Each structure stands twice: as C-alpha cells, then as structure tokens.
C-alpha cells in the first residue's frame, strides 16, 4: 500500500478524532446526554473556551480534508507516486495531527503555522500530481 494512502487512512481516523473531541467537549457545556438525546429543536446553545476552539478546529479540518483526499486518490489513480506526493502527504497529516491540540489549547501563532504546513502539504500533492518529478 502506498504511503500516501496510509496517511490518507490515518487522516480519516484523525477526522473521527476531531468529531469526537468537538462533540464531547461541546456536549459537556450543552447539557450532557439528556440534551444530545433530545430532539434539539430550536437554537443550539453556544459553547465557549476549549469546546469552541475544538469545534472550530474540526470545521477547519473538514474544509481541507476533502481537497487532500481527492488529490491523494487522483495521484494513486494516475500512478503519480513521487517525492512531492509523499512529502506533501506527510506534511498534511502531521500538520493536522499537531493542529488539533494546539488549537484546543489556544496557541494562536503556532496554530497558524501548523495550518500553513498542512496547506503546503496539499500544494505539494497537487504539484506532484501534475509535474513529473523523481519517483519515491
């Protein structure tokens, strides 16, 4: 299995971690299981602090993940297994892996750097899809 597919699978797992972290932290502030099991008609109560940051981190992850996933799958489908694709996949995954706790803890400048690392990863995968470079 190509390494970029493994990193895509780990990124899927990371997406689940984002969902669980945001849901669990928000659930604690919104009224627990009773609120979650209800019909939730009306306005959803806002969350604050770490719960709010984890929700934002999750939304941000799911803004970039479809692009990363589509590019990795396009690279595999077209046989573009090269250094740019592999390096980009690593940058995306590890940038996103570090992003969640950093955003959850409220460290803004590091968070922005990690977001940039993951975007550079996406751009490398895109570049590797279109430019013939050294195979991995």
């Amino acid at each position: 299995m190509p390494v970029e597919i493994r990193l895509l699978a780990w990124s899927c797992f990371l997406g689940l971690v984002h969902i669980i972290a945001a849901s669990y932290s928000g659930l604690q502030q919104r009224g627990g299981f009773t609120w979650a099991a209800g019909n939730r008609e009306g306005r959803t109560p806002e969350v604050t602090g770490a719960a709010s940051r984890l929700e934002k981190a999750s939304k941000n992850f799911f803004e970039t993940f479809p692009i990363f996933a589509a590019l990795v799958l396009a690279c595999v489908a077209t046989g573009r297994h090269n250094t740019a694709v592999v390096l980009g996949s690593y940058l995306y995954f590890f940038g996103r892996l570090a992003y969640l706790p950093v955003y959850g803890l409220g460290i803004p400048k590091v968070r922005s750097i990690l977001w940039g690392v993951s975007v550079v990863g996406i751009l490398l995968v895109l570049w590797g899809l279109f430019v013939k470079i050294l195979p991995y």
Side-chain angles (χ1 to χ4, degrees):
M1 174 184 337
V3 67
E4 58 270 29
I5 290 294
R6 276 189 301 226
L7 289 165
L8 177 58
W10 280 111
S11 295
C12 290
F13 177 75
L14 183 57
L16 291 172
V17 171
H18 271 275
I19 291 168
I20 292 166
S23 297
Y24 181 77
S25 63
L27 186 63
Q28 301 308 304
Q29 290 186 19
R30 289 185 174 119
F33 182 74
T34 303
W35 175 81
N39 60 19
R40 290 189 245 160
E41 290 179 350
R43 187 173 168 192
T44 301
E46 296 293 322
V47 292
T48 59
S52 175
R53 291 189 301 273
L54 288 170
E55 280 189 1
K56 290 173 187 165
S58 180
K59 288 177 185 176
N60 186 273
F61 176 85
F62 287 105
E63 289 173 352
T64 61
F65 178 73
I67 299 166
F68 172 70
L71 287 172
V72 166
L73 293 173
C75 287
V76 171
T78 58
R80 292 292 193 167
H81 178 73
N82 56 51
T83 305
V85 173
V86 172
L87 178 60
S89 296
Y90 273 113
L91 287 175
Y92 178 81
F93 175 72
F94 285 106
R96 283 297 171 176
L97 181 65
Y99 183 87
L100 181 61
V102 166
Y103 201 157
L105 293 170
I107 308 171
K109 291 179 182 174
V110 177
R111 179 197 80 212
S112 296
I113 291 168
L114 292 170
W115 178 87
V117 166
S118 69
V119 170
V120 167
I122 290 172
L123 291 172
L124 277 171
V125 175
L126 178 64
W127 188 49
L129 177 62
F130 289 108
V131 179
K132 186 168 177 79
I133 56 176
L134 295 173
Y136 181 72

